[in-house]
Amino acid sequence: MKPVPPPGGQPLWRDEFSVYAPDERYVGRRQFAKFLGLASLGMLAGQVWILAKSWLARPTAYPALLVARVADVPVDGVKLFRYPTPDDPCMLIRLDADTFVAYSQKCTHLSCAVYYAAEHRRIECPCHEGHFSVDSGGVLQGPPPRPLPRILLRRDGDALLAVGVDQQVS
């Protein structure tokens, strides 16, 4: 036995359920404007939060750490050390009699250990053939997206001290 439709042509539940599905696919101008306004306010609140956090952030204080004595590192020689924490490997490179540079030993691509290639006068990453300038830490070739973090050095007599980290951006 088939159900008999009501005399008005529509089932009774259609009159009680007032949502007409084909009309619900379209968004009205007011709904769209309300959505844009709320999304913009949300983005503005996020930007204000980031700005407030940056204003209230304290600069990182790095400890001074004796890395080496001048006589301990020969010209074109390397001394490995850890700074600012025991989990951060770094390398000190003596370029000439009076020039010392220090960088993080983690490649900025995938954190592989980098090494100083004195014959090419550059810092190399063996994982994906990334090369860094020994003078600036900048990327010379390969996939690393940013320069190596530079360890700031201070010379006190014959002692070389690590005093900070410069997160270079280029």
Side-chain angles (χ1 to χ4, degrees), residues 154-165:
R154 184 177 74 214
R155 187 171 176 175
D156 286 340
D158 73 333
L160 294 169
L161 302 169
V163 294
V165 179

Side-chain angles (χ1 to χ4, degrees), residues 51-130:
L51 181 65
K53 244 179 115 176
S54 69
W55 278 346
L56 299 175
R58 295 181 186 150
T60 306
Y62 294 103
L65 174 72
L66 176 65
V67 175
R69 302 269 177 209
V70 172
D72 293 346
V73 184
V75 174
D76 276 337
V78 175
K79 169 125 168 87
L80 300 178
F81 64 100
R82 296 188 174 271
Y83 185 81
T85 69
D87 297 327
D88 297 315
C90 300
M91 63 182 162
L92 170 72
I93 304 167
R94 186 172 190 175
L95 300 177
D96 58 42
D98 295 324
T99 308
F100 294 87
V101 293
Y103 298 101
S104 170
Q105 201 181 5
K106 288 183 182 177
C107 178
T108 56
H109 178 228
L110 292 176
S111 296
C112 295
V114 296
Y115 65 91
Y116 176 57
E119 64 276 2
H120 299 293
R121 197 168 168 81
R122 66 184 178 205
I123 300 169
E124 298 180 355
C125 177
C127 293
H128 300 103
E129 297 182 13

Side-chain angles (χ1 to χ4, degrees), residues 130-164:
H131 299 160
F132 300 90
S133 166
V134 74
D135 297 315
S136 68
V139 178
L140 298 175
Q141 138 184 348
R146 11 176 229 291
L148 288 172
R150 186 178 196 127
I151 307 301
L152 303 176
L153 298 173
R154 184 177 74 214
R155 187 171 176 175
D156 286 340
D158 73 333
L160 294 169
L161 302 169
V163 294

